[in-house]
Amino acid sequence: MQLELRSAHVPGEGNERRPLAALCEDEPHVHGEWAWTIGERRVPCMGFWGADDVCLGQWWDELTGAVAALSDRQPYTLDSCEQGDPAFLFERTDASLHLSIVAGIGGGAPHPEWQNAEFAWDDLGAALRRFKHDLRQLLELKGPPTLPAEWKKRFSELV
């Protein structure tokens, strides 16, 4: 299992991709290409306007919540509730995790080929820590001098 941050931008009007320096309180969203692979397969349905338009803040928050729930062996569902988007169901069995792409509240269909994709529990925590480190470093290098409050809060978390 691998999570790889390949690009980041501030979304603008339509498909406009603005530089990270445009990040501000009025526009605190960071999107980008975040490739998640399990085995040899790339996890689909993560982006809003394609694979290079994943909401990185949402995935930061949701995977942080998933790790907390899964630590207690509770299943976790990430459902953006966007019209047409499926949901991501995480379930833990001892040292393994299973990811299923299931029907979303907003009407997204399940993906039959993405049911119970297995990967190691330890890999998720390590990959999430790397992603957080890489995104933080990128925002510190290319972002604005003052980060929006929601990013300051994320960066204050213990990783």
Side-chain angles (χ1 to χ4, degrees):
M1 195 277 297
Q2 181 179 359
L3 298 171
E4 181 186 2
L5 179 61
R6 295 184 175 171
S7 67
H9 63 271
V10 174
E13 295 294 321
N15 287 334
E16 179 188 12
R17 285 153 164 69
R18 299 170 33 207
L20 292 175
L23 192 66
C24 63
E25 289 295 338
D26 292 336
E27 192 53 63
H29 294 282
V30 177
H31 286 204
E33 184 176 4
W34 190 42
W36 182 8
T37 55
I38 298 174
E40 299 295 319
R41 302 186 307 158
R42 185 165 174 174
V43 176
C45 306
M46 293 174 55
F48 288 98
W49 303 108
D52 64 343
D53 195 40
V54 174
C55 182
L56 300 174
Q58 177 186 19
W59 279 91
W60 175 303
D61 297 342
E62 292 288 352
L63 284 182
T64 299
V67 167
L70 293 163
S71 292
D72 292 334
R73 304 225 192 282
Q74 298 297 312
Y76 188 87
T77 302
L78 186 165
D79 192 338
S80 68
C81 302
E82 293 288 331
Q83 186 175 7
D85 284 350
F88 297 81
L89 172 63
F90 298 86
E91 298 174 294
R92 181 176 175 193
T93 55
D94 297 320
S96 295
L97 288 180
H98 295 90
L99 169 69
S100 297
I101 300 178
V102 299
I105 292 171
H111 281 250
E113 66 278 7
W114 278 94
Q115 300 303 305
N116 296 310
E118 186 174 356
F119 57 100
W121 161 243
D122 290 340
D123 289 352
L124 180 62
L128 182 57
R129 284 188 298 277
R130 265 191 315 279
F131 161 67
K132 288 180 174 184
H133 174 268
D134 292 349
L135 183 53
R136 181 181 187 144
Q137 194 169 44
L138 188 60
L139 287 175
E140 287 173 348
L141 290 172
K142 296 188 176 186
T146 303
L147 290 172
E150 74 178 64
W151 285 100
K152 287 179 187 176
K153 181 180 177 193
R154 285 183 183 113
F155 288 172
S156 70
E157 297 173 5
L158 295 176
V159 179

